[in-house]
Amino acid sequence: MKFAAVLNAATCRVLDDSFKQRWHAVQKELAFMHRSFSTFLSLNCQRKDLSKYEQVDDKKYASLVRSVVSTKVSPQTPETLLSEDNLLYGPVIRSKSASADSESESPQNLAPFLNFERQNTVCEPGPVLKLPLQLMSRRDHSKASLPSVTRILQLTMSLEQAFYLERWKRRMITELGQDGFKEYSKNILNRGKLFHSALEETLLSTKIPKTDDEEITGYLHSVQEILADIRGTRVLESVVTHLPLQYMGLVDCVAEYRGKLCVIDWKTSEKPKPYFRNTFDNPLQVAAYAGALNHDDNYNFQVEQGLIVVAYKDGSPAHAHFMDRELFLTCWKKWLLRLEKYKKQIHVST
């Protein structure tokens, strides 16, 4: 009996210890589950902000939704979309570029390019004509007061041209300074005068003059191949006036280039200009000179073709841009438009 009592007491102690250990484990597991469940409720039971679409009263707009969904709509095609746009906004009007507008535009006064009184006149080459501006000024003050072709083109250039010209000027002033830019412009002008004087001597003597001036040596070397194709010089550095249209200009040269009588304009450039479009307003300038010469009583012949020669300082071969009669007439119309624009500007300013 005594042994059984001891055994029962030991068994109770073991069972009691095991139960306590198990109970502590259960308590820990219940505590963990309680925390997890609380976290779940706190995360999922928070009130979400409803969007404006979720706040709409579905019952209120149920009939509208049914009518839209139940309506049969034909599939849209590009043609139906265009017709709807035309109905709502009107037909599409495509804008034209500025160049297209200028090409289609015609001058109000389409003055003739040629002088009909001279059309049947045959003029043999004679002495070279040269009417300096100073001599013309002394003869007739009214002609001397006429605006020059260069001035008219400068005052009527497009906004795009004016923008690029002003940007180039500002860049040069930034690099050279105000005084440096003035000196640079003065040197370009002097270099052009020296180059034209050397060309005049060459065309009169048919020989390229020898010069030690490095400023024009490269330009003369640049044009030597073109000079070989020029014959029968008729005009050098001479003033032309168009009294009916009231403008004047100074022609560089009139001579035969490959057998065709042309108004020749000599240009210098530090950058290559291999294409006709690179010459900007120079074709209009040449056409204006030719039109004035054809109506100037100081000349007894007419010119229907032109040549723009671009010479380079480094001596590389010059580019010659020939203007035939058709191109000349196109440029003449554009010149007349610029002349009308100039006269309107002058009228407004006065």
Side-chain angles (χ1 to χ4, degrees):
M1 290 294 293
K2 186 176 181 179
F3 174 76
V6 172
L7 181 61
N8 290 334
T11 303
C12 289
R13 284 197 297 269
V14 171
L15 292 174
D16 184 65
D17 293 338
S18 177
F19 178 79
K20 289 180 179 180
Q21 293 177 359
R22 182 62 180 167
W23 175 249
H24 287 308
V26 170
Q27 284 182 328
K28 289 182 179 179
E29 187 175 354
L30 289 173
F32 175 77
M33 292 176 63
H34 180 269
R35 288 195 298 270
S36 300
F37 184 73
S38 300
T39 304
F40 174 79
L41 290 177
S42 63
L43 292 177
N44 291 275
C45 293
Q46 292 179 353
R47 187 179 183 276
K48 296 182 180 179
D49 294 334
L50 297 177
S51 66
K52 293 183 178 180
Y53 293 104
E54 292 174 330
Q55 296 174 3
V56 174
D57 188 352
D58 295 336
K59 295 181 179 180
K60 181 177 181 181
Y61 297 101
S63 59
L64 176 62
V65 172
R66 282 196 302 271
S67 63
V68 172
V69 174
S70 61
T71 302
K72 295 182 179 180
V73 181
S74 60
Q76 293 284 359
T77 63
E79 291 75 14
T80 58
L81 290 173
L82 285 176
S83 62
E84 289 179 6
D85 288 345
N86 290 337
L87 181 62
L88 294 173
Y89 309 108
V92 177
I93 301 176
R94 300 185 183 278
S95 60
K96 296 181 180 179
S97 62
S99 58
D101 289 339
S102 61
E103 290 178 1
S104 61
E105 192 177 356
S106 298
Q108 295 179 357
N109 178 23
L110 187 56
F113 173 69
L114 294 174
N115 189 339
F116 298 109
E117 296 179 0
R118 297 186 196 170
Q119 281 190 334
N120 298 324
T121 303
V122 178
C123 179
E124 296 296 330
V128 176
L129 298 176
K130 186 174 183 179
L131 181 59
L133 181 61
Q134 295 81 0
L135 179 60
M136 191 268 290
S137 301
R138 289 195 296 268
R139 288 183 180 178
D140 192 339
H141 293 286
S142 61
K143 291 183 179 180
S145 62
L146 294 176
S148 66
V149 173
T150 304
R151 175 173 174 76
I152 293 171
L153 291 175
Q154 286 176 345
L155 294 179
T156 59
M157 69 173 59
S158 65
L159 294 177
E160 182 180 5
Q161 283 182 287
F163 167 77
Y164 286 118
L165 181 62
E166 183 65 22
R167 188 177 67 173
W168 170 82
K169 182 179 178 181
R170 291 186 179 183
R171 185 174 67 247
M172 295 299 293
I173 291 176
T174 302
E175 295 177 1
L176 305 175
Q178 194 72 39
D179 295 336
F181 179 72
K182 290 181 180 179
E183 187 68 21
Y184 172 80
S185 302
K186 182 180 178 180
N187 291 337
I188 290 181
L189 184 62
N190 293 334
R191 190 186 309 156
K193 290 181 179 179
L194 292 173
F195 176 54
H196 281 76
S197 298
L199 285 173
E200 183 178 340
E201 183 179 349
T202 302
L203 293 170
L204 289 174
S205 63
T206 67
K207 293 182 180 180
I208 297 179
K210 295 181 180 181
T211 178
D212 296 330
D213 192 342
E214 296 180 357
E215 292 291 329
I216 62 172
T217 301
Y219 293 119
L220 291 174
H221 182 73
S222 179
V223 299
Q224 61 181 357
E225 294 184 4
I226 295 176
L227 289 173
D229 293 328
I230 294 178
R231 298 284 187 276
T233 303
R234 298 195 184 188
V235 176
L236 285 173
E237 295 288 333
S238 189
V239 174
V240 292
T241 57
H242 199 305
L243 290 180
L245 295 180
Q246 290 290 288
Y247 73 87
M248 58 163 288
L250 186 64
V251 175
D252 286 347
C253 176
V254 177
E256 293 181 6
Y257 173 71
R258 296 180 179 178
K260 298 178 180 179
L261 189 63
C262 299
V263 170
I264 302 175
D265 199 41
W266 306 98
K267 299 294 182 183
T268 60
S269 177
E270 297 180 359
K271 295 182 180 180
K273 295 184 177 181
Y275 303 109
F276 185 76
R277 63 176 180 270
N278 300 138
T279 57
F280 301 105
D281 282 342
N282 295 149
L284 276 63
Q285 184 179 14
V286 175
Y289 290 158
L293 184 148
N294 292 341
H295 292 82
D296 193 327
D297 293 336
N298 293 301
Y299 308 91
N300 58 358
F301 58 91
Q302 297 199 97
V303 184
E304 299 184 53
Q305 291 153 109
L307 183 71
I308 301 173
V309 181
V310 185
Y312 303 109
K313 185 179 181 179
D314 61 0
S316 57
H319 285 106
H321 302 285
F322 178 73
M323 300 173 62
D324 58 17
R325 188 175 185 275
E326 183 179 358
L327 181 57
F328 234 30
L329 292 177
T330 301
C331 293
W332 173 251
K333 291 180 180 179
K334 292 183 178 180
W335 159 249
L336 293 177
L337 287 171
R338 298 284 285 272
L339 183 60
E340 289 180 355
K341 183 178 179 181
Y342 169 78
K343 291 181 177 179
K344 289 179 181 178
Q345 290 179 354
I346 296 300
H347 177 71
V348 171
S349 63
T350 55

